[in-house]
Amino acid sequence: MSLLRPVCKLCLSVRSVREITRSLRLAIATALEGTPGPVFLELPIDVLYPYSIVCRELAPQASHRPASRPPSLSQRMVTWYLKRHLNNLFAGAWTSRPLGPLPLSRPLAHPRDLDTSAAILDKAQRPLLLLGSQVMLPPTTAVKLRDAIEQLGFPCYLGGMARGLLGRSNVLHIRHNRRAALRQADAIVLAGNAPPHQPHHSFPPSLNIGPPSLPPSWSPLHCHRHSISLTQRIHS
């Protein structure tokens, strides 16, 4: 469990049958909430088998001990512990519990941040969009996101699950010379991607890079506030 905590948003271990439903709902909600990420849920074998099988394996059998020999103190203690563990394992297991998904808290951009972003993009001469996998998540649908990108008219790079968002022949979709485009852009919208931890490795300041290769038919459109709002409402 300690090995998984640094790379998972949540690590849980189910201790009884009654905790399975609650733990599953919490794990799914945690994986989807905020920035999506992996979760780890441990289900011991005791909570996965029916009561009759677990009881047969845990409860001591009287036939295994001669009738003339009374149980020793240690045997009575082991029997008491196993029965207590069995009762706690299945206590409340047959109680009806809610099965629906938990409500999710999805972070949205503050209106003040949207206004600031709109002002920056409105003045940008060489804007660029970098879209990753998480732009495909709710609440913004892929169709609305595609329409917003086309209305903005900014060239973009698509990665991960966002590949194919604009189709095969869209003039806004750039596939090559990404480093050059990033060096020349004066405003970059990073959505659904994690920023590089060491940007100087990707964009060395001493590297002399020519202008990016953009489609000849590309021309920036006027930035509409509605489109920027749609583009900004992405979990990253």
Side-chain angles (χ1 to χ4, degrees):
M1 192 72 73
S2 300
L3 294 176
L4 297 171
R5 285 195 179 96
V7 296
C8 294
K9 296 179 62 178
L10 177 69
C11 291
L12 288 178
S13 179
V14 176
R15 301 298 183 183
S16 61
V17 177
R18 63 182 177 273
E19 297 178 0
I20 294 179
T21 303
R22 179 185 63 84
S23 300
L24 283 173
R25 298 175 71 206
L26 179 60
I28 294 174
T30 304
L32 297 176
E33 192 172 39
T35 301
V39 296
F40 178 78
L41 181 62
E42 181 185 37
L43 295 171
I45 193 172
D46 292 349
V47 303
L48 299 178
Y49 278 88
Y51 175 81
S52 58
I53 296 179
V54 179
C55 182
R56 184 174 65 247
E57 296 296 329
L58 289 182
Q61 301 294 329
S63 58
H64 293 172
R65 185 181 65 252
S68 59
R69 180 185 301 176
S72 63
L73 177 61
S74 60
Q75 290 175 338
R76 291 198 299 268
M77 293 180 63
V78 170
T79 301
W80 172 83
Y81 173 80
L82 291 178
K83 288 184 177 180
R84 184 176 182 273
H85 173 69
L86 182 64
N87 293 335
N88 178 70
L89 193 64
F90 286 91
W94 294 272
T95 303
S96 178
R97 289 178 172 80
L99 302 177
L102 295 175
L104 301 180
S105 174
R106 300 189 184 277
L108 298 178
H110 193 276
R112 181 176 61 254
D113 297 331
L114 293 177
D115 293 338
T116 303
S117 301
I120 294 175
L121 294 178
D122 193 34
K123 297 178 181 178
Q125 299 298 320
R126 296 181 301 276
L128 189 65
L129 301 180
L130 297 182
L131 306 183
S133 297
Q134 294 183 19
V135 299
M136 307 304 295
L137 297 176
T140 304
T141 64
V143 175
K144 289 184 178 180
L145 179 61
R146 182 201 61 197
D147 294 342
I149 295 173
E150 292 179 347
Q151 190 175 6
L152 284 172
F154 295 166
C156 65
Y157 287 92
L158 303 177
M161 295 176 62
R163 291 187 176 96
L165 177 64
L166 298 179
R168 179 176 296 181
S169 58
N170 195 299
V171 296
L172 298 178
H173 185 198
I174 307 176
R175 296 176 175 84
H176 306 290
N177 295 337
R178 174 171 169 169
R179 178 178 294 187
L182 291 173
R183 290 279 293 179
Q184 296 296 323
D186 58 355
I188 300 174
V189 177
L190 187 65
N193 278 315
H197 297 287
Q198 296 177 330
H200 58 279
H201 288 178
S202 301
F203 321 114
S206 59
L207 185 61
N208 185 13
I209 301 177
S213 176
L214 299 179
S217 59
W218 173 78
S219 60
L221 303 178
H222 179 68
C223 298
H224 295 283
R225 190 66 53 87
H226 178 63
S227 300
I228 295 175
S229 299
L230 288 175
T231 306
Q232 290 288 332
R233 291 183 180 182
I234 299 169
H235 315 303
S236 59

